[in-house]
Amino acid sequence: AQSVAQPEDQVNVAEGNPLTVKCTYSVSGNPYLFWYVQYPNRGLQFLLKYITGDNLVKGSYGFEAEFNKSQTSFHLKKPSALVSDSALYFCAVRDGGNTPLVFGKGTRLSVIA
Amino acid sequence: NAGVTQTPKFQVLKTGQSMTLQCAQDMNHEYMSWYRQDPGMGLRLIHYSVGAGITDQGEVPNGYNVSRSTTEDFPLRLLSAAPSQTSVYFCASSKTGHPNTEAFFGQGTRLTVV
């Protein structure tokens, strides 16, 4: 069965600094990986997804994610954080076919002005 | 663009009461699912459906029933509400056919069971 780990409950970063939100995964086949963001009292919004063959994937709002097969990781990155990036971020994985999306526990990002 | 619509947005139930959380999507998505979100637990899958007439259990199905009579609707029924079912519930939909398809989420239903 597939699983996702987000090792940090909280990440704090100063505005303008680069940010990284970590995600590692476990699947039996090819990984289908996603990042979602949740703002307060809102649903989840899709940010980006892994595309086979692209180790650096670009998504919405200037976010990107780095896929590393040997480390089974899909870390979310942004070169310069904004206060408005403060939110809850979820990594998710699907193990092929019509299997459900499995989510990590989420990482709360706080960007401080 | 309506997308995924959940009703109600908020609900307070007494222990033992039953209710149905509604979910509808207008994107002709075959795949629909229900998650619950609890602090520190992330999103946990309750039930999912790959198409009309087909449903399956997720990680935490106990106390919940679903049915899928149409492509558009996927209601979640709480049979006899318990305080442990206090949570935020999210419905999601996506196309089937390729696992690299992203899911679209509703705005959530915040349920409190007293």
Side-chain angles (χ1 to χ4, degrees):
Chain A
Q2 64 266 40
S3 66
V4 171
Q6 293 182 243
E8 301 153 319
D9 292 335
Q10 173 98 26
V11 169
N12 298 320
V13 63
E15 188 175 32
N17 282 3
L19 70 87
T20 298
V21 182
K22 296 179 180 177
C23 171
T24 59
Y25 65 90
S26 174
V27 296
S28 56
N30 292 323
Y32 297 91
L33 294 153
F34 304 81
W35 275 101
Y36 286 83
V37 61
Q38 184 182 34
Y39 298 101
N41 301 313
R42 302 296 299 274
L44 275 72
Q45 297 178 29
F46 168 74
L47 267 183
L48 52 80
K49 62 185 177 184
Y50 171 59
I51 299 171
T52 304
D54 289 347
N55 288 343
L56 187 65
V57 179
K58 294 191 183 297
S60 306
Y61 313 120
F63 283 92
E64 55 193 27
E66 187 173 15
F67 174 74
N68 188 315
K69 186 174 183 178
S70 63
Q71 296 185 2
T72 61
S73 66
F74 190 56
H75 299 331
L76 182 70
K77 298 175 182 284
K78 188 173 183 181
S80 179
L82 300 172
V83 172
S84 57
D85 293 330
S86 298
L88 188 56
Y89 290 81
F90 289 98
C91 183
V93 69
R94 181 181 280 135
D95 193 3
N98 287 329
T99 57
L101 266 179
V102 173
F103 285 84
K105 294 187 177 182
T107 298
R108 188 166 299 281
L109 173 67
S110 180
V111 180
I112 304 157
Chain B
N1 290 338
V4 179
T5 303
Q6 290 184 236
T7 55
K9 287 186 170 49
F10 301 94
Q11 183 71 49
V12 178
L13 287 180
K14 294 183 178 179
T15 298
Q17 286 185 316
S18 63
M19 80 159 294
T20 300
L21 279 62
Q22 302 291 345
C23 176
Q25 52 90 11
D26 62 357
M27 297 173 282
N28 201 30
H29 286 168
E30 301 91 347
Y31 198 104
M32 296 185 75
S33 52
W34 277 102
Y35 293 85
R36 59 177 289 173
Q37 182 179 20
D38 303 291
M41 304 290 288
L43 274 78
R44 293 182 292 169
L45 182 68
I46 304 171
H47 286 285
Y48 65 100
S49 168
V50 299
I54 306 169
T55 64
D56 208 344
Q57 295 182 352
E59 180 186 356
V60 288
N62 292 341
Y64 307 95
N65 270 0
V66 291
S67 59
R68 185 90 181 273
S69 55
T70 68
T71 299
E72 294 78 18
D73 300 299
F74 190 44
L76 178 72
R77 281 183 286 278
L78 279 70
L79 309 173
S80 177
S84 60
Q85 293 179 304
T86 293
S87 187
V88 182
Y89 292 84
F90 288 100
C91 178
S93 75
S94 61
K95 290 187 70 63
T96 55
H98 197 282
N100 205 27
T101 303
E102 62 266 30
F104 294 81
F105 282 80
Q107 293 299 294
T109 296
R110 186 174 295 273
L111 175 69
T112 302
V113 182
V114 299

CSV table of all heavy atoms in Angstrom, one decimal, chain B residues 11-55:
chain,number,residue,atom,x,y,z
B,11,GLN,N,-22.7,22.0,10.4
B,11,GLN,CA,-23.8,21.2,11.0
B,11,GLN,C,-23.5,20.8,12.4
B,11,GLN,O,-22.3,20.4,12.7
B,11,GLN,CB,-24.0,19.9,10.1
B,11,GLN,CG,-25.2,19.1,10.6
B,11,GLN,CD,-26.6,19.7,10.3
B,11,GLN,OE1,-26.8,20.2,9.2
B,11,GLN,NE2,-27.4,19.7,11.4
B,12,VAL,N,-24.5,20.9,13.3
B,12,VAL,CA,-24.3,20.4,14.7
B,12,VAL,C,-25.4,19.3,14.8
B,12,VAL,O,-26.5,19.5,14.5
B,12,VAL,CB,-24.5,21.5,15.7
B,12,VAL,CG1,-24.4,20.9,17.1
B,12,VAL,CG2,-23.5,22.6,15.5
B,13,LEU,N,-24.9,18.1,15.3
B,13,LEU,CA,-25.8,17.0,15.5
B,13,LEU,C,-25.7,16.5,17.0
B,13,LEU,O,-24.7,16.7,17.6
B,13,LEU,CB,-25.4,15.8,14.6
B,13,LEU,CG,-25.6,15.8,13.2
B,13,LEU,CD1,-25.1,14.5,12.5
B,13,LEU,CD2,-27.1,15.9,12.9
B,14,LYS,N,-26.8,15.9,17.4
B,14,LYS,CA,-26.7,15.3,18.7
B,14,LYS,C,-26.3,13.8,18.5
B,14,LYS,O,-26.6,13.2,17.5
B,14,LYS,CB,-28.1,15.4,19.4
B,14,LYS,CG,-28.5,16.8,19.7
B,14,LYS,CD,-29.9,16.8,20.5
B,14,LYS,CE,-30.2,18.2,20.9
B,14,LYS,NZ,-31.6,18.3,21.5
B,15,THR,N,-25.7,13.3,19.5
B,15,THR,CA,-25.3,11.9,19.5
B,15,THR,C,-26.5,11.0,19.2
B,15,THR,O,-27.6,11.1,19.8
B,15,THR,CB,-24.7,11.5,20.8
B,15,THR,OG1,-23.5,12.2,21.0
B,15,THR,CG2,-24.3,10.0,20.8
B,16,GLY,N,-26.3,10.1,18.2
B,16,GLY,CA,-27.4,9.2,17.8
B,16,GLY,C,-28.2,9.6,16.6
B,16,GLY,O,-28.9,8.8,16.0
B,17,GLN,N,-28.1,10.9,16.3
B,17,GLN,CA,-28.8,11.4,15.1
B,17,GLN,C,-28.2,10.9,13.8
B,17,GLN,O,-27.0,10.6,13.8
B,17,GLN,CB,-28.9,12.9,15.1
B,17,GLN,CG,-29.9,13.5,16.1
B,17,GLN,CD,-30.0,15.0,16.0
B,17,GLN,OE1,-29.0,15.7,15.8
B,17,GLN,NE2,-31.3,15.5,16.1
B,18,SER,N,-28.9,10.9,12.8
B,18,SER,CA,-28.4,10.6,11.5
B,18,SER,C,-28.5,11.8,10.5
B,18,SER,O,-29.3,12.7,10.8
B,18,SER,CB,-29.2,9.4,10.8
B,18,SER,OG,-30.5,9.7,10.6
B,19,MET,N,-27.6,11.8,9.5
B,19,MET,CA,-27.7,12.9,8.6
B,19,MET,C,-27.0,12.5,7.3
B,19,MET,O,-26.2,11.5,7.3
B,19,MET,CB,-27.2,14.2,9.1
B,19,MET,CG,-25.7,14.3,9.1
B,19,MET,SD,-25.1,16.1,9.2
B,19,MET,CE,-25.7,16.7,7.6
B,20,THR,N,-27.2,13.2,6.2
B,20,THR,CA,-26.5,13.0,5.0
B,20,THR,C,-25.8,14.2,4.6
B,20,THR,O,-26.3,15.3,4.5
B,20,THR,CB,-27.5,12.6,3.9
B,20,THR,OG1,-28.2,11.4,4.2
B,20,THR,CG2,-26.8,12.4,2.5
B,21,LEU,N,-24.5,14.1,4.3
B,21,LEU,CA,-23.7,15.2,3.7
B,21,LEU,C,-23.7,15.0,2.2
B,21,LEU,O,-23.5,13.9,1.7
B,21,LEU,CB,-22.2,15.1,4.2
B,21,LEU,CG,-21.8,15.6,5.6
B,21,LEU,CD1,-22.6,14.9,6.7
B,21,LEU,CD2,-20.4,15.5,5.8
B,22,GLN,N,-24.1,16.1,1.6
B,22,GLN,CA,-24.2,16.1,0.1
B,22,GLN,C,-23.0,16.5,-0.6
B,22,GLN,O,-22.2,17.4,-0.1
B,22,GLN,CB,-25.4,17.0,-0.3
B,22,GLN,CG,-26.7,16.7,0.3
B,22,GLN,CD,-27.3,15.3,-0.2
B,22,GLN,OE1,-26.9,14.8,-1.2
B,22,GLN,NE2,-28.3,14.8,0.5
B,23,CYS,N,-22.7,15.9,-1.7
B,23,CYS,CA,-21.6,16.2,-2.6
B,23,CYS,C,-22.0,16.1,-4.1
B,23,CYS,O,-22.6,15.0,-4.4
B,23,CYS,CB,-20.4,15.4,-2.3
B,23,CYS,SG,-19.0,15.7,-3.5
B,24,ALA,N,-21.9,17.1,-4.8
B,24,ALA,CA,-22.2,17.1,-6.2
B,24,ALA,C,-21.1,17.8,-7.1
B,24,ALA,O,-20.5,18.7,-6.6
B,24,ALA,CB,-23.5,17.9,-6.5
B,25,GLN,N,-20.8,17.2,-8.2
B,25,GLN,CA,-19.8,17.8,-9.1
B,25,GLN,C,-20.4,17.8,-10.5
B,25,GLN,O,-21.2,17.0,-10.9
B,25,GLN,CB,-18.5,16.9,-9.1
B,25,GLN,CG,-18.6,15.5,-9.3
B,25,GLN,CD,-18.5,15.0,-10.8
B,25,GLN,OE1,-18.1,15.8,-11.6
B,25,GLN,NE2,-18.8,13.8,-11.0
B,26,ASP,N,-19.9,18.9,-11.2
B,26,ASP,CA,-20.5,19.1,-12.6
B,26,ASP,C,-19.4,19.0,-13.7
B,26,ASP,O,-19.5,19.6,-14.7
B,26,ASP,CB,-21.1,20.5,-12.6
B,26,ASP,CG,-20.2,21.6,-12.4
B,26,ASP,OD1,-19.0,21.4,-12.1
B,26,ASP,OD2,-20.6,22.8,-12.4
B,27,MET,N,-18.4,18.2,-13.4
B,27,MET,CA,-17.3,18.1,-14.3
B,27,MET,C,-17.3,16.7,-15.0
B,27,MET,O,-16.3,16.4,-15.7
B,27,MET,CB,-15.9,18.3,-13.5
B,27,MET,CG,-15.8,19.7,-12.9
B,27,MET,SD,-14.4,19.9,-11.9
B,27,MET,CE,-15.0,19.1,-10.4
B,28,ASN,N,-18.3,15.9,-14.8
B,28,ASN,CA,-18.5,14.6,-15.4
B,28,ASN,C,-17.3,13.7,-15.0
B,28,ASN,O,-16.8,12.9,-15.8
B,28,ASN,CB,-18.5,14.7,-16.9
B,28,ASN,CG,-19.2,13.5,-17.5
B,28,ASN,OD1,-20.0,12.8,-16.9
B,28,ASN,ND2,-18.8,13.1,-18.7
B,29,HIS,N,-16.8,13.9,-13.7
B,29,HIS,CA,-15.8,13.0,-13.2
B,29,HIS,C,-16.3,11.7,-12.8
B,29,HIS,O,-17.3,11.6,-12.1
B,29,HIS,CB,-15.1,13.7,-12.0
B,29,HIS,CG,-14.2,14.8,-12.5
B,29,HIS,ND1,-13.7,15.7,-11.6
B,29,HIS,CD2,-13.7,15.2,-13.7
B,29,HIS,CE1,-12.9,16.6,-12.2
B,29,HIS,NE2,-12.9,16.3,-13.5
B,30,GLU,N,-15.6,10.6,-13.1
B,30,GLU,CA,-16.0,9.3,-12.7
B,30,GLU,C,-15.7,9.0,-11.2
B,30,GLU,O,-16.4,8.3,-10.5
B,30,GLU,CB,-15.4,8.2,-13.6
B,30,GLU,CG,-15.7,8.4,-15.1
B,30,GLU,CD,-14.6,9.2,-15.8
B,30,GLU,OE1,-13.8,9.9,-15.1
B,30,GLU,OE2,-14.6,9.2,-17.0
B,31,TYR,N,-14.6,9.5,-10.8
B,31,TYR,CA,-14.0,9.2,-9.5
B,31,TYR,C,-14.4,10.2,-8.5
B,31,TYR,O,-14.2,11.4,-8.6
B,31,TYR,CB,-12.5,9.1,-9.6
B,31,TYR,CG,-11.8,8.4,-8.5
B,31,TYR,CD1,-11.2,7.1,-8.7
B,31,TYR,CD2,-11.6,9.0,-7.3
B,31,TYR,CE1,-10.6,6.4,-7.7
B,31,TYR,CE2,-10.9,8.3,-6.3
B,31,TYR,CZ,-10.4,7.0,-6.5
B,31,TYR,OH,-9.8,6.4,-5.5
B,32,MET,N,-15.0,9.7,-7.4
B,32,MET,CA,-15.4,10.6,-6.3
B,32,MET,C,-15.0,9.9,-5.0
B,32,MET,O,-14.9,8.7,-4.8
B,32,MET,CB,-16.8,10.9,-6.3
B,32,MET,CG,-17.3,11.7,-7.5
B,32,MET,SD,-19.0,12.2,-7.5
B,32,MET,CE,-18.9,13.6,-6.3
B,33,SER,N,-14.7,10.8,-4.0
B,33,SER,CA,-14.2,10.2,-2.7
B,33,SER,C,-14.6,11.2,-1.5
B,33,SER,O,-14.8,12.4,-1.8
B,33,SER,CB,-12.7,10.0,-2.7
B,33,SER,OG,-12.0,11.2,-3.1
B,34,TRP,N,-14.6,10.6,-0.3
B,34,TRP,CA,-14.9,11.4,0.9
B,34,TRP,C,-13.7,11.2,1.8
B,34,TRP,O,-13.2,10.1,2.1
B,34,TRP,CB,-16.1,10.9,1.6
B,34,TRP,CG,-17.4,11.4,1.1
B,34,TRP,CD1,-18.3,10.9,0.2
B,34,TRP,CD2,-17.9,12.7,1.4
B,34,TRP,NE1,-19.3,11.7,0.0
B,34,TRP,CE2,-19.1,12.9,0.7
B,34,TRP,CE3,-17.5,13.8,2.2
B,34,TRP,CZ2,-19.9,14.0,0.8
B,34,TRP,CZ3,-18.3,14.9,2.3
B,34,TRP,CH2,-19.5,15.0,1.6
B,35,TYR,N,-13.2,12.3,2.4
B,35,TYR,CA,-12.1,12.3,3.4
B,35,TYR,C,-12.6,13.1,4.6
B,35,TYR,O,-13.5,13.9,4.5
B,35,TYR,CB,-10.9,13.1,2.8
B,35,TYR,CG,-10.2,12.4,1.7
B,35,TYR,CD1,-10.6,12.7,0.4
B,35,TYR,CD2,-9.1,11.6,1.9
B,35,TYR,CE1,-9.9,12.1,-0.7
B,35,TYR,CE2,-8.4,11.0,0.9
B,35,TYR,CZ,-8.8,11.3,-0.4
B,35,TYR,OH,-8.1,10.7,-1.5
B,36,ARG,N,-12.0,12.7,5.7
B,36,ARG,CA,-12.2,13.5,6.9
B,36,ARG,C,-10.9,14.1,7.3
B,36,ARG,O,-9.8,13.4,7.2
B,36,ARG,CB,-12.9,12.7,8.1
B,36,ARG,CG,-12.1,11.5,8.5
B,36,ARG,CD,-12.8,10.9,9.7
B,36,ARG,NE,-12.7,11.7,10.9
B,36,ARG,CZ,-13.3,11.4,12.1
B,36,ARG,NH1,-14.2,10.4,12.2
B,36,ARG,NH2,-13.2,12.2,13.2
B,37,GLN,N,-10.9,15.3,7.8
B,37,GLN,CA,-9.7,16.0,8.3
B,37,GLN,C,-9.7,16.3,9.7
B,37,GLN,O,-10.7,17.0,10.2
B,37,GLN,CB,-9.5,17.3,7.5
B,37,GLN,CG,-8.2,18.0,7.9
B,37,GLN,CD,-8.0,19.3,7.1
B,37,GLN,OE1,-8.9,19.9,6.5
B,37,GLN,NE2,-6.7,19.8,7.0
B,38,ASP,N,-8.8,15.8,10.5
B,38,ASP,CA,-8.7,16.0,11.9
B,38,ASP,C,-7.3,16.5,12.2
B,38,ASP,O,-6.3,16.1,11.6
B,38,ASP,CB,-8.9,14.7,12.6
B,38,ASP,CG,-10.3,14.0,12.3
B,38,ASP,OD1,-11.3,14.6,12.7
B,38,ASP,OD2,-10.3,13.0,11.6
B,39,PRO,N,-7.2,17.4,13.2
B,39,PRO,CA,-5.9,18.0,13.6
B,39,PRO,C,-4.8,16.9,13.8
B,39,PRO,O,-5.0,16.0,14.5
B,39,PRO,CB,-6.2,18.7,14.9
B,39,PRO,CG,-7.6,19.0,14.8
B,39,PRO,CD,-8.3,17.9,14.1
B,40,GLY,N,-3.7,17.1,13.1
B,40,GLY,CA,-2.5,16.2,13.3
B,40,GLY,C,-2.7,14.9,12.6
B,40,GLY,O,-1.8,14.0,12.6
B,41,MET,N,-3.8,14.7,11.9
B,41,MET,CA,-4.1,13.4,11.2
B,41,MET,C,-4.1,13.5,9.7
B,41,MET,O,-4.2,12.5,9.0
B,41,MET,CB,-5.4,12.8,11.7
B,41,MET,CG,-5.6,12.6,13.2
B,41,MET,SD,-4.5,11.3,13.8
B,41,MET,CE,-5.4,9.9,13.2
B,42,GLY,N,-4.0,14.7,9.2
B,42,GLY,CA,-4.1,14.9,7.8
B,42,GLY,C,-5.5,14.5,7.2
B,42,GLY,O,-6.5,14.6,8.0
B,43,LEU,N,-5.6,14.1,6.0
B,43,LEU,CA,-6.9,13.6,5.4
B,43,LEU,C,-6.9,12.1,5.4
B,43,LEU,O,-6.0,11.5,4.8
B,43,LEU,CB,-7.0,14.2,4.0
B,43,LEU,CG,-7.6,15.6,3.9
B,43,LEU,CD1,-6.5,16.6,4.2
B,43,LEU,CD2,-8.1,15.8,2.5
B,44,ARG,N,-7.9,11.6,5.9
B,44,ARG,CA,-8.1,10.1,5.9
B,44,ARG,C,-9.3,9.8,5.0
B,44,ARG,O,-10.4,10.3,5.2
B,44,ARG,CB,-8.2,9.6,7.3
B,44,ARG,CG,-7.0,9.7,8.1
B,44,ARG,CD,-7.2,9.2,9.5
B,44,ARG,NE,-8.1,9.9,10.3
B,44,ARG,CZ,-8.6,9.5,11.5
B,44,ARG,NH1,-8.3,8.3,12.0
B,44,ARG,NH2,-9.5,10.3,12.1
B,45,LEU,N,-9.1,8.8,4.2
B,45,LEU,CA,-10.1,8.4,3.2
B,45,LEU,C,-11.2,7.5,3.9
B,45,LEU,O,-11.0,6.6,4.6
B,45,LEU,CB,-9.5,7.5,2.1
B,45,LEU,CG,-10.4,7.1,1.0
B,45,LEU,CD1,-10.9,8.3,0.1
B,45,LEU,CD2,-9.7,6.1,0.1
B,46,ILE,N,-12.5,7.9,3.7
B,46,ILE,CA,-13.6,7.2,4.3
B,46,ILE,C,-14.2,6.2,3.3
B,46,ILE,O,-14.2,5.0,3.5
B,46,ILE,CB,-14.7,8.2,4.7
B,46,ILE,CG1,-14.2,9.3,5.6
B,46,ILE,CG2,-15.9,7.5,5.3
B,46,ILE,CD1,-15.2,10.4,5.9
B,47,HIS,N,-14.7,6.7,2.1
B,47,HIS,CA,-15.2,5.8,1.0
B,47,HIS,C,-14.8,6.5,-0.3
B,47,HIS,O,-14.6,7.7,-0.3
B,47,HIS,CB,-16.7,5.7,1.1
B,47,HIS,CG,-17.2,4.8,2.2
B,47,HIS,ND1,-17.2,3.5,2.1
B,47,HIS,CD2,-17.8,5.1,3.4
B,47,HIS,CE1,-17.7,2.9,3.2
B,47,HIS,NE2,-18.1,3.9,4.0
B,48,TYR,N,-14.8,5.7,-1.3
B,48,TYR,CA,-14.6,6.2,-2.7
B,48,TYR,C,-15.4,5.4,-3.7
B,48,TYR,O,-15.9,4.3,-3.4
B,48,TYR,CB,-13.1,6.3,-3.0
B,48,TYR,CG,-12.5,4.9,-3.2
B,48,TYR,CD1,-12.2,4.3,-4.4
B,48,TYR,CD2,-12.0,4.2,-2.0
B,48,TYR,CE1,-11.6,3.1,-4.5
B,48,TYR,CE2,-11.4,3.0,-2.2
B,48,TYR,CZ,-11.2,2.5,-3.4
B,48,TYR,OH,-10.5,1.2,-3.5
B,49,SER,N,-15.5,6.0,-4.9
B,49,SER,CA,-16.3,5.4,-6.0
B,49,SER,C,-15.6,5.7,-7.3
B,49,SER,O,-15.2,6.8,-7.6
B,49,SER,CB,-17.7,6.0,-6.0
B,49,SER,OG,-18.4,5.7,-7.1
B,50,VAL,N,-15.5,4.7,-8.1
B,50,VAL,CA,-14.9,4.8,-9.4
B,50,VAL,C,-15.9,5.0,-10.5
B,50,VAL,O,-15.5,5.2,-11.7
B,50,VAL,CB,-13.9,3.6,-9.7
B,50,VAL,CG1,-12.8,3.5,-8.7
B,50,VAL,CG2,-14.7,2.3,-9.8
B,51,GLY,N,-17.2,5.0,-10.2
B,51,GLY,CA,-18.2,5.3,-11.1
B,51,GLY,C,-19.6,5.0,-10.5
B,51,GLY,O,-19.7,4.4,-9.5
B,52,ALA,N,-20.6,5.3,-11.3
B,52,ALA,CA,-22.0,5.1,-10.8
B,52,ALA,C,-22.2,3.6,-10.5
B,52,ALA,O,-21.8,2.8,-11.3
B,52,ALA,CB,-23.0,5.6,-11.8
B,53,GLY,N,-22.7,3.3,-9.3
B,53,GLY,CA,-23.0,2.0,-9.0
B,53,GLY,C,-21.9,1.2,-8.3
B,53,GLY,O,-22.0,0.1,-7.9
B,54,ILE,N,-20.7,1.9,-8.2
B,54,ILE,CA,-19.5,1.2,-7.6
B,54,ILE,C,-19.0,2.0,-6.5
B,54,ILE,O,-18.7,3.2,-6.6
B,54,ILE,CB,-18.4,1.0,-8.7
B,54,ILE,CG1,-19.0,0.3,-9.9
B,54,ILE,CG2,-17.2,0.3,-8.1
B,54,ILE,CD1,-18.0,0.4,-11.1
B,55,THR,N,-18.9,1.4,-5.3
B,55,THR,CA,-18.3,2.1,-4.1
B,55,THR,C,-17.3,1.1,-3.4
B,55,THR,O,-17.4,-0.1,-3.6
B,55,THR,CB,-19.3,2.6,-3.1
B,55,THR,OG1,-20.0,1.5,-2.6
B,55,THR,CG2,-20.3,3.5,-3.8
